[in-house]
Amino acid sequence: LRQVDTSVDNLVDDPAVEEAAQLLKSGEVVAFPTETVYGLGGDATLDEAIARIYEAKGRPSDNPLIVHIAGIEQAKRYADDIPPGAEQLMNAFWPGPLTIVLRHNGSLSPKVTAGLDTVGMRMPADPAALALITAADLPLAAPSANRSGRPSPTSARHVYDDLNGRIPVVLDGGETGVGVESTVVDATQTPVMILRPGGISQEELQAVVGPVAVDPSLAFDQSAKPKSPGMKYAHYAPDAPLVLVDGDAAFFAAVVHDAKAAGKRAGALVFEEQIGTTGAEQEVSLGPQADPAEAARRLYDALRVFKRSEVDIIYAVTFADSGIGGAVMNRLLKAAGGRRVSAEDSN
Ligand code: TXA
Ligand code: MG
């Protein structure tokens, strides 16, 4: 796997972007930066390219891929019907971290949509991503560029660690800005429904389209079947088991103390203010407690830092379910497989 640098001034004539675009045109797959996480892209109209994506990731093929386009007009070429709410969302949030699920018109590879009659589309904001889509002149199907089940990649290095030997090229655009994936919104129903929380919050969506529903399965009520097919798989798993800790810094330190007393080496994924207070063998900071956007930026790299050779268990702080903090909490819950200890329960 070669890492080619895109951090030059004129991306339109960038030889790295040109090379990657040629690979895509020949049915190959290429990893590229977006403002959320790195994607693993392939021609969304070509079955063989989509098969390569699933294979490189080791991803179950019943989980549909997001199609990345470089403008609203390009999106309309693959959609069957654009409801007014979807149009408003595109105008307000594209380019940006919002994926809009629409009915498709059958012109994309059925492997992209995993046989559904809908497709998720997104116009990314990263200039290298837009330059690549434009140079390839193709809609790019792109899931996150990690091995299936691992934390999503927020740097070219993460892509390299997961996919070296499995794909030809990663465009290196530096660290991503948002750090968690796009919000997925189903615009085929009224009101529109959030299927995956992400870079755009429910509050921001509501300011544009009015009432916005949330998939009930996001409440971590296991009885509700997730509507977004990808939500049912293990995700974002760090090397060692992760447990969420609901409570203050003193409770966190007590939980770590108990683990150590039981002979376990503990890792702590905590706020800046807690560094030095947890008693854990390894502490990693998510930034200041008052800055959940910083936690979103740091989360996936932080999850990759912990190694089973160093820690037996990782404890992590929790976030309130609002704004970008809600998206961070959603990823932490998945990374923990729902495992949680609470100060309330142990009183
Ligand atoms: O930020 C992102 O969205 C990144 C970057 C690369 O753009 N991409 C990404 O893709 O996260 P992926 O494949 O890891 O996640 C796509 C999510 C999955 O949960 C999938 O089930 C859901 O979107 N999805 C895709 N198409 C769908 C559809 N037609 N209906 C419902 N959910 C869909
Ligand atoms: Mg993913």
Side-chain angles (χ1 to χ4, degrees):
L1 167 56
R2 284 193 314 115
Q3 280 178 240
V4 291
D5 203 348
T6 66
S7 42
V8 292
D9 293 338
N10 189 356
L11 283 163
V12 175
D13 297 322
D14 184 346
V17 170
E18 262 319 308
E19 181 192 338
Q22 287 309 320
L23 284 166
L24 290 167
K25 285 185 177 193
S26 69
E28 261 300 344
V29 297
V30 162
F32 63 97
T34 83
E35 75 277 26
T36 56
V37 301
Y38 276 69
L40 179 60
D43 179 352
T45 66
L46 189 67
D47 291 352
E48 158 203 337
I50 307 313
R52 285 204 165 112
I53 292 174
Y54 284 116
E55 196 188 318
K57 279 185 63 90
R59 173 168 170 138
S61 56
D62 66 336
N63 190 1
L65 308 180
I66 292 172
V67 173
H68 297 69
I69 35 68
I72 293 176
E73 286 315 307
Q74 192 184 8
K76 288 182 176 171
R77 271 182 242 156
Y78 307 102
D80 185 32
D81 168 46
I82 313 245
E87 189 103 36
Q88 285 175 290
L89 291 174
M90 290 175 186
N91 289 326
F93 297 108
W94 282 3
L98 182 69
T99 295
I100 305 175
V101 173
L102 298 165
R103 228 164 279 289
H104 66 72
N105 64 12
S107 58
L108 297 165
S109 163
K111 285 186 188 299
V112 169
T113 58
L116 299 175
D117 55 11
T118 55
V119 60
M121 281 195 272
R122 167 163 119 81
M123 179 185 177
D126 185 284
L130 291 172
L132 181 64
I133 298 164
T134 304
D137 194 23
L138 290 169
L140 294 187
S144 48
N146 51 283
R147 287 301 292 271
S148 192
R150 297 261 294 150
S152 299
T154 53
S155 70
R157 178 72 216 187
H158 295 160
V159 177
Y160 184 90
D161 289 344
D162 276 16
L163 299 179
N164 183 28
R166 307 178 73 91
I167 62 169
V169 159
V170 51
L171 288 181
D172 187 350
E175 284 177 24
T176 61
V178 178
V180 294
E181 296 86 344
S182 61
T183 302
V184 178
V185 163
D186 183 354
T188 66
Q189 50 179 302
T190 313
V192 302
M193 179 182 277
I194 295 177
L195 305 183
R196 176 178 75 180
I200 304 286
S201 68
Q202 183 181 7
E203 296 85 342
E204 289 172 281
L205 294 171
Q206 270 166 350
V208 171
V209 286
V212 171
V214 179
D215 180 349
S217 75
L218 293 178
F220 243 67
D221 168 4
Q222 299 297 345
S223 62
K225 186 174 173 289
K227 291 188 173 53
S228 175
M231 300 303 271
K232 68 174 178 281
Y233 293 105
H235 259 101
Y236 319 114
D239 217 26
L242 181 74
V243 177
L244 305 190
V245 179
D246 285 315
D248 60 13
F251 178 68
F252 198 105
V255 168
V256 169
H257 180 87
D258 289 351
K260 288 172 79 177
K264 291 182 183 162
R265 297 164 303 168
L269 185 56
V270 292
F271 297 115
E272 196 84 16
E273 294 86 347
Q274 284 167 275
I275 296 291
T277 74
T278 70
E281 267 80 7
Q282 188 177 8
E283 294 177 328
V284 175
S285 170
L286 287 172
Q289 182 156 17
D291 190 359
E294 180 64 16
R297 271 190 289 279
R298 293 190 191 194
L299 178 68
Y300 291 141
D301 182 68
L303 288 173
R304 283 171 180 265
V305 166
F306 295 104
K307 299 286 175 235
R308 204 183 275 274
S309 55
E310 311 283 328
V311 296
D312 301 306
I313 188 160
I314 306 161
Y315 293 106
V317 290
T318 58
F319 288 77
D321 189 17
S322 73
I324 188 84
V328 173
M329 186 57 184
N330 168 269
R331 304 314 190 268
L332 279 170
L333 277 164
K334 295 185 144 294
R339 284 179 299 262
R340 227 167 150 165
V341 292
S342 147
E344 247 98 88
D345 300 342
S346 57
N347 277 341

